[in-house]
Every structure is written in structure tokens, then in C-alpha cells.
Amino acid sequence: MIFEAILLTVITASTPLVIAAIGELVTERAGVLNLGVEGMMIVGAVCAFIATKTTGSPYVGVLAGIVAGAAFSLLFGFLTLTLVANQVATGLALTILGLGVSGMVGESVVGQPGIKMQPIAIPLLSDIPVLGTILFRQDIFFYLSIALVIGVNWFLFNSRTGLKLRAIGDSHGSAHTLGLPVIRTRYLAVMFGGACAGLAGAQLSLVYTPQWVENMSAGRGWIALALVVFAAWRPWRVLAGGYLFGAVTIGQLHAQALGIGLPSQFMSALPYAATIVVLIIISHNRRTTLINTPASLGKPFVPDR
Amino acid sequence: MKNFLFALAASAAAIVGVAAPAAAQDKTKICFVYVGSKTDGGWTQAHELGRTTLQEHFGDKIETPYLENVPEGPDAERAIERMARSGCAVVFTTSFGFMDATLKVAEKFPDVKFEHATGYKTLPNVATYNSRFYEGRFINGQIAGKMSKNGVAGYIASFPIPEVVAGINAFLHGARTVNPEFKLKVIWVNTWFDPGKEADAAKALIDQGVDVLTQHTDTTAPMQVAEERGIKAFGQASDMISAGPTAQLSSIVDTWGAYYIKRTQAILDGTWTSQQTFDGLKDGILTMAPYTNMPDDVKAMAMDTEAKIKSGELKPFSGPINKQDGTPWLKEGETSDDGTILGMNFYIEGVDDKLPQ
């Protein structure tokens, strides 16, 4: 059934965006702007691929992707949080570095066939017609992405630690005065973002296209960054936005294959055009946008001043 | 700060790429500028293979520095100029999108020779070279016509430039010589290199009923999808058999080495002149990966067609062929001239797509 087939590809295309964006959302909620998502993602992709190749187990690969992304983000954390370097410049440098390092690390495994991760069928639920195949016969990344959205939403808005993290993101000065550990929290948030980006990268090299080629993230990290703004720093909207983006991307390919006579350049730009339109709609209400934007986002924090 | 970091990264990349022994004064420098990574498994890898063939052929007489991952656009001009400045006798720029950048730099460095792949603009010190990829795609089309059960093939296309359009037409025309009802679905992905998007396009085409896939993009992702879904496919630029051991029927393989050797010899002899080269199967600049995963009679047909194209007995674009709207393009017995092929901007009848203009 074609509808089902389309939905399955939409899920594959949306999952890495949702995972990377939810990680960046937490980072930004803590007041840190890390533009290095693309770099952390590609490092996660190459490490996941190599680990899978060496051990034969994609699950070791998933773990390697998470650890690599988190470790790589630590570099960003050290530069911006400890040395108080400019976050925008450091994030951009992280992306450039990540693309370079991953190319170097992965040179020996370029183009080698990978091991595709097998889907996990959830007993009983996966037997439901249509819905079961689409939602309950997926790879681990899909389940993790949903769990992450639910978990992060709960953490940010229903837990004490989440409240503290948001307070740090909104006003690091006041939070510090109240005795909240600004730097430590930010380090953890940055590493969470890195771990998610690494996980998203692992999805690219283990499920999306089970292989490694240089630059294979192809700008998906930037889309994830846009999604965070698009979602106005709300986890459920990240999920919705990620799926909207995935649906438009896949939809335009199907429209082309059907021979619908629209210019292909226009069709290729559709997902981005959709992003802009939604951004305009959201920012139309300036008050809600301002409320959601972490007030200290991107501002350096020096405790002794 | 941002600019500084960019400059730092760019020069670091350049140093790594152009690194060459400093003592080599008497060696002739033959330089290359690549659009992708030299291990991309497709287009750039084929040029890299040409470069190593060249290096082996001349040994110590030449050195062959290269720059990889040079994006098309303003950066290309800087990269090409850096090469020209570093004492290259000739710079091979291996992407269509480097055309204008190559010409601009060539005007500034009249003593340096330039060779631009797949372009159509020349100067006294700029030659172009291209390959008759469409000859191989015609053979692929014939194989598809025999192998497809549904009579519909899928084509993953990059950008609507003449080379790609000619490839689409040649493929369909080849298929129609064995199955006049054959249809072709086209998806433009507007990128040379995005494995995710190429895989998505492949899946969309397969979901809509194509059972043979061909691509004019540079990664092996579509081949991998074909393998996974159990349909047949053709590789592009390099032999992609490792990504599709049971899927690949054949692949057009760019073998630039022969051309690079010929032109380097001309540089060494001092006989280099600007020219527009358009070689194909017979010159060995284009070869076919082994015909596999098909019955013997289909294989025999493919080999026969290849031999006929090599001998000049068969021209892929020979009439009768109608344009997409049904108006005649080539009459019975008429063949297309090279100019039309090099500037092709129309579909032939049977393509289930509207050509982006």
C-alpha cells in the first residue's frame, strides 16, 4: 500500500531531525546557543558506522554515536563555558571541525556496505493492521525519538531540575545569585545536546542510508537548528515540525514521480519555504515568542562578575 | 573571529590538499580541483582514479597535487587561483559548476593551461573535455527495456543541465528500441551529493512501481536501496557493484586516466592547444562495468550494442525520435549532431515528467 510506504519513509526522514532538535532545545533552554549540531551529528554518524563495522552490532554503534556526540560537544562546552569564547563563532567552528575530522576518521570505510539495523516489533501492538506496521515495527531510533520528546517535555515543565535549568537559561545572573550551578548545568545541557546530535547522526549511517560517505549529514543539522526556533522552544512542536518537514520533503519527491508539472527547484525548496511560512505565523504573535525564547540565550556567563 | 576561523579552516584544508615535497623543482605540476571527496564512490572518485593512473604513468616526471571538496561558487575561484599561483602547468577543474570560475582565473593567468570538465566555454588557455556518457546510458536503457517487468524505469536526476537531459533521453530511447511502450519517471533532487535525499527519491520511485532504477547523482545510496528492495539498478561514474551485488546490472564508468595522460603528454611536449574534446566508448574514456545479474541473451545484446557504438555503426540518437510534445526531432535514418547533444534542453516522447527550465 503506497500510503503506508510513504509514511514509513516520512518517519525515517523525520526521526534524525526530531532527535537532533530536541537535544538542541534543551541546550538552548539552558541559555547556550550551539550552532555545531551539524558537526556533532556527522561525528556521531562516522563513529556509529565504524563501531558497528568493527563489532558487528548496530547497538554498539548507537552507543558509540551518542558518546562521540557528547564528547565532541564537551569541546564546545570547554571553549564557551570555561574559556567564555563567543558561542556563535565556536559553534560554526565546531561544524567545520566536525566535517573535517569525520572525513579523516572515516576515510578507510568510505563506501563500504554497512549493517542495516533491524526493526523491533513490539508484541501485540505490532499486529494492529496498518498502524502496527507504521508505529510499532520500527527501529530503535524512532522509539527513542518519541521517548525523548515525552521525557524532555516532562523534565522541562514538570520537574524541579527542569525548572532550574529554564531559570538558568532565562537569567543566569539571578540563578547564580540563588545558588544554582549555572556552569555545571550548562555543561550537562550541552552534553545532552551533543549526545542527541550524535544519536541522530547514528540514525543516518545505520538506518537512513547504511553507509558512510563524507558530508552525508548534508545540512540536516542546520534544519534541526531551525526546527528549535520553529518550535518556539516547545518539545511537542519539535515533533510536529520535524514531521511536517519530513512529510513535505518526501511528498515533493512523490509529486515529482507522479509527473506533476511543477518546477523541481520549487519542489525542492518547499520544505524550506514551509519552514519560513510557519516561522512567520509563529512570530506573528511577538509576545509568545519572546516569552518562550530563553532570555540569556547565547550570552556568556562569568560567575565572578 | 568568524572570518578568521573560516580562513584558518580553509587554509588548513588547502595545505593538506596541496602538500607536496618542496624539493621537486624539475617536476611538472599537473593540478586537480575536485568538487567532492576523492572517495565519494562516484564522480570525484573516478577523477581521482584518473589522477593516480596519470601519476603512475609518468612517475617522477610529474607531481599531481589536488584540492578536494571545493564547493561550486566563489570559493571555487579562490581554490583554482591558489592552484594557478602555485606553479601548475595545467589545472584540471572537474565539475560543470567550475566553468565560470575557471575562465575568470584563466584570464588572470595566461601562462597556465586550464582544462574544464563537461563545460562548453573555452579560451586560448582553456580547453574542455567531456565524455559521451549518453552512449553508456543508451546501452543501460536497452538492458532496462529487457529486464523491467512493469515497463517503467525510475531516473534520479541532479540538475537540469544538458548532460543530464541527454542521459535521460538516451536511456529512454535505448529502452524504447526494445520495448516501444517503455516509460520513464524522473525525480530531480537538485543536488549531486546527498545520500539521504537520493535514497528517499529511490524509495519514492520504487513505491510508485518502477522496477529498474538509474541515477545521475554521485552516491551509492540509490543502488543500496535497490539492493534492499530487490529491484535492479545501474551505477553512475564508478562501478557500484559493492553497494548492489545482486541489484547492479551495469554501470557507466568514467575512465579519465587515458585523457589525462594524453593531455599531460601534450604539455610535456609543448604541443598543448585549446580544444573541445567529446570522447566516448571507443576512446576508452567511458567504459561499462561488467554486465551482471541478467540472462545471457540480454548480456549478449548489451555487448553487441557496445561493439556497434564503438565501431561507429550505431549512433544512440538516431531517428525516428519525436520530442516530448510529439513533434518530430529526428527522421528515420537521421542522427543528431554533437551541438544538439551538448546543449540538449528538451525531452523526447515518453518521459513522464516536465523538464525544469
Side-chain angles (χ1 to χ4, degrees):
Chain A
M1 193 178 125
I2 186 154
F3 184 63
E4 197 177 304
I6 294 176
L7 277 182
L8 284 172
T9 39
V10 168
I11 289 177
T12 315
S14 311
T15 301
L17 303 177
V18 172
I19 296 176
I22 202 80
E24 177 69 11
L25 184 141
V26 172
T27 309
E28 292 191 13
R29 277 282 185 177
V32 184
L33 179 66
N34 185 356
L35 296 181
V37 179
E38 178 88 1
M40 301 186 295
M41 209 166 167
I42 196 84
V43 166
V46 75
C47 290
F49 186 82
I50 292 175
T52 305
K53 248 343 227 183
T54 339
T55 62
S57 159
Y59 290 96
V60 178
V62 172
L63 208 63
I66 294 173
V67 171
F72 198 54
S73 72
L74 257 186
L75 179 66
F76 174 85
F78 178 69
L79 289 169
T80 58
L81 300 176
T82 304
L83 303 182
V84 207
N86 180 306
Q87 292 181 9
V88 171
T90 312
L92 290 172
L94 196 73
T95 287
I96 299 169
L97 181 69
L99 290 171
V101 166
S102 63
M104 209 166 71
V105 171
E107 186 157 10
S108 58
V109 290
V110 172
Q112 287 185 22
I115 300 168
K116 190 177 164 82
M117 186 174 250
Q118 291 310 312
I120 309 163
I122 295 180
L124 296 178
L125 287 177
S126 60
D127 296 331
I128 306 169
V130 189
L131 210 63
T133 330
I134 295 169
L135 293 181
F136 302 109
R137 224 182 270 269
Q138 285 287 350
D139 51 80
I140 191 169
F141 292 97
F142 170 72
Y143 301 130
L144 282 175
S145 71
I146 302 296
L148 276 168
V149 171
I150 296 172
V152 165
N153 194 62
W154 176 85
F155 168 77
L156 284 179
F157 303 107
N158 297 311
S159 82
R160 210 177 156 73
T161 329
L163 182 70
K164 288 179 186 165
L165 182 135
R166 283 192 291 138
I168 287 165
D170 276 329
S171 171
H172 48 215
S174 322
H176 181 61
T177 318
L178 289 172
L180 297 181
V182 175
I183 299 292
R184 196 172 71 204
T185 309
R186 285 191 170 168
Y187 258 108
L188 291 172
V190 164
M191 282 178 70
F192 180 76
C196 286
L199 179 65
Q203 195 264 9
L204 294 181
S205 64
L206 298 180
V207 172
Y208 207 150
T209 45
Q211 55 170 297
W212 163 256
V213 280
E214 254 183 75
N215 304 333
M216 68 180 288
S217 50
R220 286 180 181 80
W222 297 107
I223 296 168
L225 271 167
L227 266 180
V228 179
V229 184
F230 176 102
W233 294 270
R234 292 273 176 180
W236 287 107
R237 292 195 197 156
V238 161
L239 189 71
Y243 276 82
L244 177 69
F245 200 93
V248 179
T249 308
I250 301 296
Q252 68 97 353
L253 295 174
H254 277 277
Q256 281 200 49
L258 281 174
I260 291 175
L262 281 169
S264 72
Q265 294 93 335
F266 170 75
M267 304 278 256
S268 286
L270 253 188
Y272 303 92
T275 309
I276 293 169
V277 168
V278 177
L279 280 177
I280 291 170
I281 294 170
I282 287 171
S283 56
H284 183 68
N285 193 343
R286 199 168 153 72
R287 284 236 318 270
T288 42
T289 319
L290 284 178
I291 289 167
N292 281 328
T293 315
S296 295
L297 185 61
K299 291 183 190 146
F301 174 67
V302 187
D304 291 327
R305 250 184 261 159
Chain B
M1 180 67 181
K2 191 173 132 190
N3 284 334
F4 169 72
L5 284 167
F6 267 118
L8 196 70
S11 38
I15 291 164
V16 173
V18 202
Q25 283 301 325
D26 51 341
K27 287 184 187 175
T28 307
K29 261 186 161 180
I30 313 292
C31 307
F32 292 82
V33 180
Y34 299 149
V35 69
S37 140
K38 63 176 181 183
T39 49
D40 66 357
W43 176 259
T44 294
Q45 186 168 313
H47 285 283
E48 170 66 6
L49 197 65
R51 185 190 68 87
T52 47
T53 312
L54 172 71
Q55 183 72 64
E56 275 165 29
H57 181 85
F58 287 103
D60 279 348
K61 273 203 273 185
I62 59 164
E63 53 178 316
T64 54
Y66 60 89
L67 286 174
E68 51 179 333
N69 290 319
V70 175
E72 295 174 353
D75 281 351
E77 202 179 318
R78 248 172 290 152
I80 297 166
E81 183 163 340
R82 173 179 283 275
M83 278 302 199
R85 222 179 263 290
S86 73
C88 301
V90 58
V91 183
F92 289 93
T93 56
T94 67
S95 183
F96 180 80
F98 291 159
M99 181 159 66
D100 291 327
T102 305
L103 290 166
K104 265 191 177 168
V105 179
E107 279 169 2
K108 281 193 228 168
F109 295 86
D111 295 336
V112 179
K113 315 275 189 273
F114 295 85
E115 294 254 1
H116 177 237
T118 72
Y120 53 83
K121 294 181 190 168
T122 59
L123 284 174
N125 62 335
V126 179
T128 64
Y129 60 109
N130 205 338
S131 174
R132 295 180 186 269
F133 306 111
Y134 70 91
E135 293 179 343
R137 296 193 190 275
F138 178 84
I139 302 174
N140 289 350
Q142 281 199 325
I143 299 169
K146 288 271 187 203
M147 295 298 290
S148 170
K149 290 185 187 72
N150 303 347
V152 193
Y155 208 111
I156 300 166
S158 50
F159 294 98
I161 57 173
E163 176 194 322
V164 179
V165 179
I168 294 171
N169 286 336
F171 184 89
L172 179 66
H173 184 55
R176 289 201 149 199
T177 57
V178 297
N179 174 4
E181 298 301 311
F182 203 83
K183 285 246 169 13
L184 190 59
K185 284 178 180 289
V186 184
I187 289 185
W188 296 92
V189 288
N190 291 300
T191 172
W192 286 112
F193 196 91
D194 180 344
K197 201 168 180 190
E198 292 168 48
D200 285 340
K203 288 174 196 163
L205 285 165
I206 297 168
D207 289 342
Q208 292 200 14
V210 315
D211 59 0
V212 176
L213 205 58
T214 190
Q215 64 179 91
H216 201 147
T217 49
D218 291 348
T219 82
T220 54
M223 180 63 74
Q224 205 174 29
V225 172
E227 179 76 21
E228 202 182 295
R229 299 276 187 106
I231 69 155
K232 301 295 178 200
F234 297 98
Q236 127 86 358
S238 297
D239 191 346
M240 295 181 172
I241 191 79
S242 66
T246 65
Q248 180 173 293
L249 294 166
S250 182
S251 177
I252 60 168
V253 181
D254 309 343
T255 33
W256 303 108
Y259 181 78
Y260 289 152
I261 290 170
K262 193 164 79 185
R263 296 300 275 170
T264 300
Q265 191 63 56
I267 292 277
L268 294 172
D269 298 345
T271 57
W272 190 96
T273 47
S274 173
Q275 60 179 43
Q276 287 197 291
T277 305
F278 197 25
D279 285 347
L281 283 169
K282 109 181 121 52
D283 316 277
I285 188 170
L286 181 73
T287 51
M288 302 300 289
Y291 302 108
T292 50
N293 298 317
M294 63 182 86
D296 285 342
D297 60 319
V298 181
K299 190 172 168 177
M301 174 200 68
M303 293 174 84
D304 182 50
T305 305
E306 187 181 336
K308 279 183 180 155
I309 291 176
K310 276 183 180 164
S311 71
E313 185 187 336
L314 178 91
K315 300 247 186 259
F317 286 120
S318 19
I321 306 178
N322 288 343
K323 290 190 177 177
Q324 194 176 31
D325 58 8
T327 57
W329 168 38
L330 296 173
K331 289 194 283 285
E332 177 82 50
E334 204 179 354
T335 59
S336 173
D337 59 298
D338 283 355
T340 310
I341 297 170
L342 284 166
M344 201 167 264
N345 59 358
F346 59 88
Y347 277 146
I348 63 166
E349 209 169 37
V351 185
D352 189 9
D353 183 43
K354 190 173 175 291
L355 180 63
Q357 294 294 340

